[in-house]
Amino acid sequence: MVLAVKDEVAQVVSTPCTKQHFDKFEDSENVPENIVALIQPSGFEEQRAPKMTPMYHLIKMASEREARGETTYNLAAGNPKIEPPREILESMKNLCSATLEEKACGLFKYTHPAGLIQLRKNIAEEVGKWQGVPDLSEDHIIMTPGAQSAIVSVYEALLQPGDHACVQTPFYPAYETAAKLWKAETKHIDFLETNFDVDMESLRQISKSSGKKLRVIALCSPSNPSGKILSNETISRIAALAREHSQRYGRDVWLLMDYTYR
Protein backbone atom coordinates (compact mmCIF):
# COMPACT_ATOMS: atom_id res chain seq x y z
CA MET A 1 0.00 0.00 0.00
CA VAL A 2 1.26 3.47 -0.87
CA LEU A 3 0.06 6.54 1.00
CA ALA A 4 0.81 9.71 -0.92
CA VAL A 5 0.94 12.60 1.51
CA LYS A 6 0.45 16.31 0.91
CA ASP A 7 2.39 17.98 3.66
CA GLU A 8 5.89 16.50 4.01
CA VAL A 9 7.72 14.05 1.81
CA ALA A 10 9.01 12.34 4.96
CA GLN A 11 5.45 11.18 5.64
CA VAL A 12 5.12 9.17 2.43
CA VAL A 13 4.65 5.53 3.47
CA SER A 14 5.34 2.34 1.56
CA THR A 15 4.54 -0.79 3.52
CA PRO A 16 3.24 -4.35 3.05
CA CYS A 17 -0.47 -4.36 3.73
CA THR A 18 -3.37 -6.65 4.42
CA LYS A 19 -7.10 -6.41 4.15
CA GLN A 20 -7.20 -4.92 7.65
CA HIS A 21 -5.35 -1.83 6.42
CA PHE A 22 -8.15 -1.10 3.99
CA ASP A 23 -10.89 -1.92 6.52
CA LYS A 24 -9.55 1.02 8.52
CA PHE A 25 -10.52 3.32 5.65
CA GLU A 26 -13.74 1.62 4.50
CA ASP A 27 -15.63 4.86 5.04
CA SER A 28 -14.23 7.90 3.23
CA GLU A 29 -14.97 10.06 6.27
CA ASN A 30 -12.32 8.15 8.21
CA VAL A 31 -9.51 8.94 5.80
CA PRO A 32 -7.00 11.45 7.26
CA GLU A 33 -7.03 14.73 5.34
CA ASN A 34 -3.36 14.49 4.38
CA ILE A 35 -3.77 11.15 2.57
CA VAL A 36 -4.43 11.81 -1.12
CA ALA A 37 -4.10 8.33 -2.64
CA LEU A 38 -4.57 4.71 -1.69
CA ILE A 39 -3.30 2.11 -4.14
CA GLN A 40 -4.96 -1.25 -3.69
CA PRO A 41 -2.67 -4.28 -3.33
CA SER A 42 -3.43 -7.60 -4.94
CA GLY A 43 -4.58 -10.70 -3.11
CA PHE A 44 -7.96 -9.78 -1.74
CA GLU A 45 -11.36 -8.54 -2.81
CA GLU A 46 -11.45 -4.88 -3.81
CA GLN A 47 -12.15 -2.42 -1.01
CA ARG A 48 -13.15 1.20 -1.29
CA ALA A 49 -10.07 3.39 -1.77
CA PRO A 50 -11.10 7.03 -1.37
CA LYS A 51 -9.38 10.01 -2.91
CA MET A 52 -7.52 8.10 -5.62
CA THR A 53 -5.85 10.26 -8.24
CA PRO A 54 -7.70 10.84 -11.55
CA MET A 55 -4.88 9.12 -13.47
CA TYR A 56 -5.25 5.98 -11.36
CA HIS A 57 -8.99 5.88 -12.13
CA LEU A 58 -8.35 6.28 -15.87
CA ILE A 59 -5.66 3.59 -15.98
CA LYS A 60 -7.86 1.24 -13.94
CA MET A 61 -10.81 1.84 -16.26
CA ALA A 62 -8.71 1.28 -19.39
CA SER A 63 -7.16 -1.92 -17.99
CA GLU A 64 -10.58 -3.35 -17.16
CA ARG A 65 -11.90 -2.62 -20.65
CA GLU A 66 -8.81 -4.10 -22.29
CA ALA A 67 -9.27 -7.23 -20.16
CA ARG A 68 -12.82 -7.53 -21.55
CA GLY A 69 -11.42 -7.42 -25.08
CA GLU A 70 -12.69 -3.93 -25.86
CA THR A 71 -10.70 -1.71 -28.22
CA THR A 72 -9.17 0.91 -25.92
CA TYR A 73 -6.95 3.91 -26.59
CA ASN A 74 -5.44 4.69 -23.22
CA LEU A 75 -4.11 8.26 -23.12
CA ALA A 76 -3.83 8.34 -19.32
CA ALA A 77 -0.15 7.39 -19.45
CA GLY A 78 2.48 7.67 -22.15
CA ASN A 79 2.94 3.94 -22.65
CA PRO A 80 4.51 3.19 -26.07
CA LYS A 81 3.09 0.33 -28.11
CA ILE A 82 6.50 -0.44 -29.62
CA GLU A 83 9.23 -2.43 -27.85
CA PRO A 84 12.76 -1.10 -27.18
CA PRO A 85 15.27 -1.32 -30.07
CA ARG A 86 16.81 -4.77 -30.54
CA GLU A 87 20.27 -3.39 -29.70
CA ILE A 88 19.04 -2.37 -26.23
CA LEU A 89 17.53 -5.77 -25.56
CA GLU A 90 20.71 -7.52 -26.74
CA SER A 91 22.84 -5.35 -24.44
CA MET A 92 20.61 -6.18 -21.49
CA LYS A 93 20.83 -9.88 -22.35
CA ASN A 94 24.63 -9.71 -22.57
CA LEU A 95 24.90 -7.93 -19.21
CA CYS A 96 22.74 -10.56 -17.51
CA SER A 97 24.73 -13.37 -19.15
CA ALA A 98 28.00 -11.84 -18.00
CA THR A 99 26.66 -11.63 -14.46
CA LEU A 100 25.61 -15.30 -14.52
CA GLU A 101 29.10 -16.24 -15.71
CA GLU A 102 30.61 -14.03 -12.97
CA LYS A 103 32.34 -11.85 -15.55
CA ALA A 104 30.54 -8.74 -14.30
CA CYS A 105 30.36 -7.94 -10.61
CA GLY A 106 28.22 -5.39 -8.81
CA LEU A 107 25.69 -4.90 -11.60
CA PHE A 108 22.73 -5.60 -9.32
CA LYS A 109 23.99 -3.78 -6.24
CA TYR A 110 23.52 -0.22 -5.06
CA THR A 111 25.35 2.21 -7.29
CA HIS A 112 26.35 5.86 -7.12
CA PRO A 113 23.44 7.94 -5.71
CA ALA A 114 23.25 9.93 -8.95
CA GLY A 115 23.40 6.82 -11.17
CA LEU A 116 26.08 4.72 -12.85
CA ILE A 117 29.09 6.94 -13.52
CA GLN A 118 29.88 5.60 -16.99
CA LEU A 119 26.22 5.81 -17.99
CA ARG A 120 26.07 9.45 -16.86
CA LYS A 121 29.26 10.18 -18.81
CA ASN A 122 27.69 8.71 -21.96
CA ILE A 123 24.49 10.68 -21.43
CA ALA A 124 26.43 13.89 -20.81
CA GLU A 125 28.32 13.41 -24.06
CA GLU A 126 25.12 12.73 -26.03
CA VAL A 127 23.14 15.60 -24.50
CA GLY A 128 26.14 17.92 -24.83
CA LYS A 129 26.24 17.30 -28.59
CA TRP A 130 22.48 17.68 -28.93
CA GLN A 131 22.25 20.90 -26.89
CA GLY A 132 25.56 22.35 -28.02
CA VAL A 133 27.12 22.27 -24.54
CA PRO A 134 30.58 20.69 -25.00
CA ASP A 135 31.67 20.98 -21.36
CA LEU A 136 28.73 18.96 -19.98
CA SER A 137 29.98 16.20 -17.65
CA GLU A 138 28.56 13.37 -15.55
CA ASP A 139 28.43 15.82 -12.63
CA HIS A 140 25.60 17.60 -14.45
CA ILE A 141 23.53 14.41 -14.81
CA ILE A 142 21.28 12.77 -12.20
CA MET A 143 19.45 9.53 -12.95
CA THR A 144 15.91 9.03 -11.63
CA PRO A 145 13.49 6.05 -11.77
CA GLY A 146 11.23 7.70 -14.32
CA ALA A 147 10.23 11.24 -15.25
CA GLN A 148 7.75 11.59 -12.39
CA SER A 149 10.56 11.23 -9.83
CA ALA A 150 12.58 13.82 -11.74
CA ILE A 151 9.67 16.29 -11.72
CA VAL A 152 9.11 15.84 -7.98
CA SER A 153 12.84 16.28 -7.28
CA VAL A 154 13.14 19.43 -9.39
CA TYR A 155 10.06 20.95 -7.80
CA GLU A 156 11.39 20.11 -4.33
CA ALA A 157 14.63 21.95 -5.15
CA LEU A 158 12.96 25.03 -6.62
CA LEU A 159 9.52 25.60 -5.09
CA GLN A 160 8.56 27.20 -1.80
CA PRO A 161 5.03 27.18 -0.35
CA GLY A 162 2.90 29.67 -2.28
CA ASP A 163 5.12 29.66 -5.40
CA HIS A 164 3.63 29.28 -8.85
CA ALA A 165 4.65 26.67 -11.44
CA CYS A 166 3.04 26.96 -14.84
CA VAL A 167 2.67 24.15 -17.36
CA GLN A 168 1.52 23.97 -20.96
CA THR A 169 -1.90 22.39 -21.50
CA PRO A 170 -2.99 19.69 -21.95
CA PHE A 171 -0.46 18.28 -19.48
CA TYR A 172 0.72 15.19 -17.63
CA PRO A 173 -1.06 15.22 -14.21
CA ALA A 174 2.19 14.59 -12.28
CA TYR A 175 3.15 18.25 -12.75
CA GLU A 176 0.18 19.43 -10.70
CA THR A 177 0.57 16.65 -8.14
CA ALA A 178 4.26 17.50 -7.64
CA ALA A 179 3.42 21.17 -7.09
CA LYS A 180 0.80 20.26 -4.46
CA LEU A 181 3.39 18.20 -2.57
CA TRP A 182 5.37 21.38 -1.93
CA LYS A 183 2.28 23.55 -1.34
CA ALA A 184 2.79 25.41 -4.62
CA GLU A 185 0.14 26.39 -7.15
CA THR A 186 -0.05 25.27 -10.78
CA LYS A 187 -0.94 27.79 -13.47
CA HIS A 188 -2.19 26.46 -16.81
CA ILE A 189 -0.81 27.96 -20.03
CA ASP A 190 -3.54 27.94 -22.66
CA PHE A 191 -2.87 26.32 -26.03
CA LEU A 192 -3.75 27.47 -29.53
CA GLU A 193 -6.69 25.36 -30.69
CA THR A 194 -5.34 25.28 -34.23
CA ASN A 195 -2.18 23.31 -33.44
CA PHE A 196 -1.76 22.84 -29.64
CA ASP A 197 1.09 25.37 -29.62
CA VAL A 198 1.77 27.46 -26.49
CA ASP A 199 -0.40 30.58 -26.30
CA MET A 200 2.22 33.23 -25.56
CA GLU A 201 -0.41 35.78 -24.52
CA SER A 202 -1.66 33.35 -21.87
CA LEU A 203 1.90 32.93 -20.57
CA ARG A 204 2.37 36.71 -20.46
CA GLN A 205 -0.79 37.05 -18.39
CA ILE A 206 0.50 34.40 -15.95
CA SER A 207 3.81 36.25 -15.73
CA LYS A 208 2.02 39.50 -14.96
CA SER A 209 -0.42 38.07 -12.40
CA SER A 210 2.09 35.80 -10.61
CA GLY A 211 4.87 38.35 -10.18
CA LYS A 212 7.55 37.16 -7.75
CA LYS A 213 5.63 33.94 -7.09
CA LEU A 214 6.40 32.55 -10.56
CA ARG A 215 9.25 30.05 -10.26
CA VAL A 216 8.92 27.33 -12.94
CA ILE A 217 7.73 27.09 -16.54
CA ALA A 218 7.32 23.40 -17.43
CA LEU A 219 7.25 22.32 -21.08
CA CYS A 220 6.96 18.84 -22.60
CA SER A 221 8.03 18.21 -26.19
CA PRO A 222 6.77 16.03 -27.78
CA SER A 223 3.82 16.75 -25.52
CA ASN A 224 2.07 14.20 -23.37
CA PRO A 225 -0.77 13.84 -24.33
CA SER A 226 -1.18 16.03 -27.46
CA GLY A 227 2.03 14.96 -29.24
CA LYS A 228 2.83 18.59 -30.07
CA ILE A 229 6.51 19.24 -30.83
CA LEU A 230 7.53 22.73 -29.79
CA SER A 231 9.65 24.59 -32.32
CA ASN A 232 13.01 26.10 -31.41
CA GLU A 233 11.46 29.51 -32.08
CA THR A 234 8.68 28.91 -29.54
CA ILE A 235 11.10 27.64 -26.89
CA SER A 236 13.38 30.64 -27.48
CA ARG A 237 10.46 33.04 -27.03
CA ILE A 238 9.46 31.35 -23.77
CA ALA A 239 13.08 31.41 -22.54
CA ALA A 240 13.29 35.13 -23.37
CA LEU A 241 10.11 35.77 -21.39
CA ALA A 242 11.55 33.81 -18.43
CA ARG A 243 14.77 35.90 -18.51
CA GLU A 244 12.81 39.13 -18.73
CA HIS A 245 10.56 38.09 -15.83
CA SER A 246 13.59 37.11 -13.71
CA GLN A 247 15.23 40.48 -14.27
CA ARG A 248 12.04 42.41 -13.55
CA TYR A 249 11.28 40.70 -10.24
CA GLY A 250 14.82 39.82 -9.11
CA ARG A 251 14.13 36.10 -8.79
CA ASP A 252 15.08 33.36 -11.24
CA VAL A 253 12.36 31.63 -13.24
CA TRP A 254 13.45 28.13 -14.26
CA LEU A 255 12.51 26.52 -17.57
CA LEU A 256 11.85 22.79 -17.05
CA MET A 257 12.13 20.88 -20.34
CA ASP A 258 10.61 17.40 -20.45
CA TYR A 259 11.94 15.49 -23.46
CA THR A 260 10.68 12.05 -22.36
CA TYR A 261 9.30 11.21 -25.80
CA ARG A 262 12.07 12.72 -27.90
Side-chain angles (χ1 to χ4, degrees):
M1 178 171 64
V2 176
L3 304 185
V5 180
K6 289 181 181 178
D7 297 329
E8 299 178 16
V9 69
Q11 294 180 346
V12 174
V13 177
S14 178
T15 179
C17 74
T18 64
K19 184 176 183 297
Q20 283 71 28
H21 287 86
F22 271 77
D23 288 340
K24 181 178 179 182
F25 304 116
E26 65 177 357
D27 190 321
S28 61
E29 294 180 358
N30 295 328
V31 179
E33 186 61 31
N34 63 340
I35 295 178
V36 295
L38 289 174
I39 301 178
Q40 175 198 331
S42 59
F44 59 84
E45 186 178 350
E46 181 177 355
Q47 302 291 310
R48 285 194 291 274
K51 299 189 179 180
M52 290 181 182
T53 63
M55 175 169 282
Y56 178 86
H57 278 298
L58 290 171
I59 294 174
K60 182 174 181 289
M61 183 190 306
S63 299
E64 290 172 349
R65 293 188 175 186
E66 288 173 351
R68 293 196 296 265
E70 299 180 22
T71 300
T72 304
Y73 299 95
N74 183 3
L75 300 181
N79 201 10
K81 291 293 184 181
I82 59 175
E83 298 299 330
R86 185 175 181 84
E87 294 81 2
I88 300 295
L89 297 176
E90 288 291 341
S91 295
M92 293 170 62
K93 178 181 176 181
N94 293 337
L95 283 171
C96 291
S97 297
T99 302
L100 287 172
E101 298 171 7
E102 298 184 354
K103 294 180 180 179
C105 298
L107 182 62
F108 296 100
K109 299 181 184 298
Y110 286 116
T111 181
H112 189 286
L116 290 168
I117 295 176
Q118 187 58 53
L119 177 59
R120 288 189 289 124
K121 286 181 177 180
N122 294 345
I123 292 174
E125 181 180 356
E126 179 67 22
V127 174
K129 292 177 181 177
W130 166 40
Q131 295 282 19
V133 186
D135 58 347
L136 204 64
S137 74
E138 69 274 14
D139 293 332
H140 299 104
I141 306 295
I142 297 176
M143 308 295 296
T144 64
Q148 188 161 323
S149 298
I151 294 168
V152 170
S153 298
V154 169
Y155 275 19
E156 180 185 11
L158 297 178
L159 295 177
Q160 297 293 325
D163 280 346
H164 292 178
C166 59
V167 60
Q168 71 186 99
T169 55
F171 61 91
Y172 177 49
Y175 287 106
E176 194 153 34
T177 303
K180 287 179 179 178
L181 280 173
W182 313 119
K183 298 182 180 180
E185 184 178 345
T186 300
K187 297 294 183 180
H188 302 160
I189 309 170
D190 292 336
F191 62 89
L192 301 179
E193 295 186 5
T194 52
N195 61 0
F196 284 104
D197 208 352
V198 171
D199 185 338
M200 290 300 300
E201 183 56 34
S202 173
L203 182 56
R204 292 189 190 96
Q205 289 299 322
I206 292 173
S207 170
K208 183 178 180 180
S209 62
S210 294
K212 283 190 174 183
K213 292 183 178 180
L214 183 59
R215 186 62 165 160
V216 175
I217 300 174
L219 305 173
C220 183
S221 181
S223 167
N224 176 4
S226 73
K228 173 66 180 180
I229 299 176
L230 299 177
S231 67
N232 289 335
E233 179 184 359
T234 295
I235 295 174
S236 295
R237 287 161 60 197
I238 295 172
L241 185 148
R243 283 193 295 269
E244 180 184 335
H245 185 102
S246 301
Q247 293 169 359
R248 180 184 300 121
Y249 293 100
R251 190 185 186 211
D252 287 341
V253 173
W254 290 76
L255 192 59
L256 172 58
M257 297 301 303
D258 183 346
Y259 288 116
T260 299
Y261 302 99
R262 176 179 176 266

